[in-house]
Amino acid sequence: MPAQVDGRVDERIQNYTKFWQKDITKDDKADTDNRVDSYTDVVNGYYDGATGLYEFGWARSFHFCRFYKGEAFQAGLARHEHYLAAQMGLRPGMRVLDVGCGVGGPAREIARFADVRIVGLNNNDFQIGRARKYTKQAGLEKQVSFVKGDFMKLSEQFGENSFDAVYAIEATVHAPSFAGVYGEIMKVLRPGGVFGVYEWVMTDAWDPSIPSHKDVARRIEIGNGIPEMRPLQQAREAMREVGFTVEHEEDLADRPDDVPWYYPLEGDIMKAQTAWDLLTVWRSSWSGRIVTHYGLWFIEQLGVVPKGTWEVGETLKIAGDALVDSGKTKLFTPMYLAVCRKPETH
């Protein structure tokens, strides 16, 4: 496939929505299996189209977080990253792998916070290019680096027992199976090493036999480049299946917070925690969506963004609504936290 100079591939972006039925309520097991088998194309097609939209509408850290009352949006994101590093017990000088690093926002923040050396892994050329650019601007090139690779082949790329710690922030949900990616993480960790993850899962309240429950999972998938949403129990079992000792686990979305994690997606500017956050929240409002809808279509016609970007942008609206719906009903969490240890004798 011919690629643009920045690494994006037009054909991948244009083909992204074809992995789902036009009427996603008719999406079946064959469609899911096809996405799982083609997970690299699904994920790359999505991020080629969505990365710029994420940076414009969210931040350079592509994840959710808890919010304190009155806390700025960017501060909440950073605190979420610090919390993971603290729970993992990261210490200065550790060699750490970031699995599915996006454009490197968390890697840069955690490197500063914990004084560790981080290797960010990504299979998307466009994101890697942006991650390197932002890291150079931050003066962190000697501490944070980025490589292209498949997180289902970590041991092949890095060798076994290569890292003191590994983390993944809302990334391993893109893998064709939890056991497959967790097993690879286990291999590259040294004995006694730690793995920390914020995982996207459907909660124990989710029942796929209920049509509305299945529908919300499908809407999350198409709007976030996910081959298949899976239940929390499957993630927990996969960690133990590959040999990890789970030292701590909790669903941070289940904490009784006054400000819900999904509030920026509701589009209610009255809920913005600080004046600086008004624009972030406005982008999800009805007027913000209209501006994005027509603005993105227009710049695509001008060739400013690759063809297919507008269509990927439309799926982000589906995702935003589904995340709010499933967040309110507690059918979904983007922050099932697990901190796992590789046995010393493994």
Side-chain angles (χ1 to χ4, degrees):
M1 295 183 191
Q4 297 199 5
V5 292
D6 60 15
R8 288 181 289 186
V9 179
D10 290 4
E11 188 178 333
R12 269 193 325 218
I13 303 172
Q14 293 169 42
N15 287 338
Y16 170 69
T17 55
K18 294 178 182 177
F19 283 101
W20 282 266
Q21 296 277 356
K22 288 197 173 182
D23 179 356
I24 57 175
T25 62
K26 295 180 179 176
D27 207 71
D28 59 20
K29 186 177 184 302
D31 296 305
T32 300
D33 289 346
N34 182 42
R35 290 193 295 271
V36 170
D37 291 341
S38 307
Y39 74 94
T40 298
D41 289 332
V42 172
V43 174
N44 272 304
Y46 177 74
Y47 280 115
D48 277 357
T51 295
L53 302 177
Y54 273 22
E55 290 187 45
F56 167 73
W58 196 257
R60 290 176 183 169
S61 289
F62 300 165
H63 62 77
F64 291 102
C65 65
R66 296 175 59 218
F67 294 102
Y68 297 155
K69 255 190 171 177
E71 181 178 39
F73 177 72
Q74 292 284 355
L77 292 176
R79 180 171 50 78
H80 196 62
E81 294 157 6
H82 298 170
Y83 185 71
L84 178 63
Q87 288 291 320
M88 292 173 65
L90 298 187
R91 297 288 180 269
M94 278 185 168
R95 186 171 190 245
V96 182
L97 177 65
D98 179 335
V99 175
C101 62
V103 297
R108 289 185 292 275
E109 187 63 38
I110 290 173
R112 291 189 187 103
F113 176 77
D115 195 21
V116 292
R117 292 174 293 117
I118 297 180
V119 177
L121 179 89
N122 197 320
N123 69 349
N124 185 273
D125 289 305
F126 180 55
Q127 289 195 341
I128 290 173
R130 295 178 85 76
R132 288 172 176 160
K133 172 187 170 184
Y134 299 143
T135 301
K136 185 175 182 179
Q137 289 173 349
L140 291 168
E141 314 103 291
K142 293 181 179 178
Q143 199 174 347
V144 183
S145 61
F146 301 93
V147 297
K148 184 176 181 178
D150 183 344
F151 54 28
M152 301 301 288
K153 300 175 181 177
L154 296 177
S155 56
E156 183 179 313
Q157 181 162 0
F158 297 109
E160 297 195 6
N161 308 322
S162 304
F163 294 93
D164 301 305
V166 178
Y167 69 82
I169 299 178
E170 301 184 21
T172 43
V173 66
H174 293 293
S177 75
F178 283 143
V181 68
Y182 295 161
E184 283 297 300
I185 289 169
M186 165 71 85
K187 290 177 185 175
V188 298
L189 269 176
R190 63 166 179 77
V194 64
F195 168 47
V197 61
Y198 285 131
E199 193 62 84
W200 275 40
V201 286
M202 307 309 291
T203 67
D204 293 335
W206 181 71
D207 182 350
S209 69
I210 299 173
S212 62
H213 286 204
K214 183 178 179 181
D215 173 65
V216 80
R218 287 291 180 266
R219 288 189 287 136
I220 292 171
E221 289 169 0
I222 190 173
N224 292 284
I226 298 167
E228 176 188 28
M229 282 302 301
R230 308 177 185 104
L232 189 155
Q233 182 62 27
Q234 196 175 122
R236 180 187 289 128
E237 289 173 354
M239 292 168 193
R240 296 192 168 105
E241 177 188 326
V242 303
F244 278 119
T245 299
V246 180
E247 296 185 339
H248 175 72
E249 61 173 322
E250 62 174 316
D251 176 6
L252 294 180
D254 205 32
R255 295 245 189 131
D257 294 326
D258 292 325
V259 183
W261 60 266
Y262 51 79
Y263 100 82
L265 297 177
E266 291 184 284
D268 184 351
I269 60 173
M270 300 302 292
K271 293 182 179 179
Q273 297 298 293
T274 72
W276 291 106
D277 300 333
L278 284 169
L279 188 58
T280 299
V281 177
W282 171 78
R283 291 185 183 114
S284 293
S285 70
W286 66 270
S287 58
R289 287 187 176 199
I290 288 173
V291 170
T292 303
H293 175 88
Y294 289 106
L296 189 57
W297 178 86
F298 182 66
I299 63 173
E300 183 176 303
Q301 304 311 304
L302 294 178
V304 176
V305 296
K307 290 219 172 280
T309 303
W310 176 84
E311 194 168 13
V312 172
E314 292 300 287
T315 71
L316 289 177
K317 297 177 187 176
I318 297 172
D321 292 339
L323 292 170
V324 171
D325 291 346
S326 58
K328 288 180 176 177
T329 53
K330 293 193 177 291
L331 295 176
F332 161 79
T333 176
M335 52 185 95
Y336 165 57
L337 167 66
V339 178
C340 310
R341 185 80 53 183
K342 179 175 179 174
E344 290 280 1
T345 56
H346 194 277

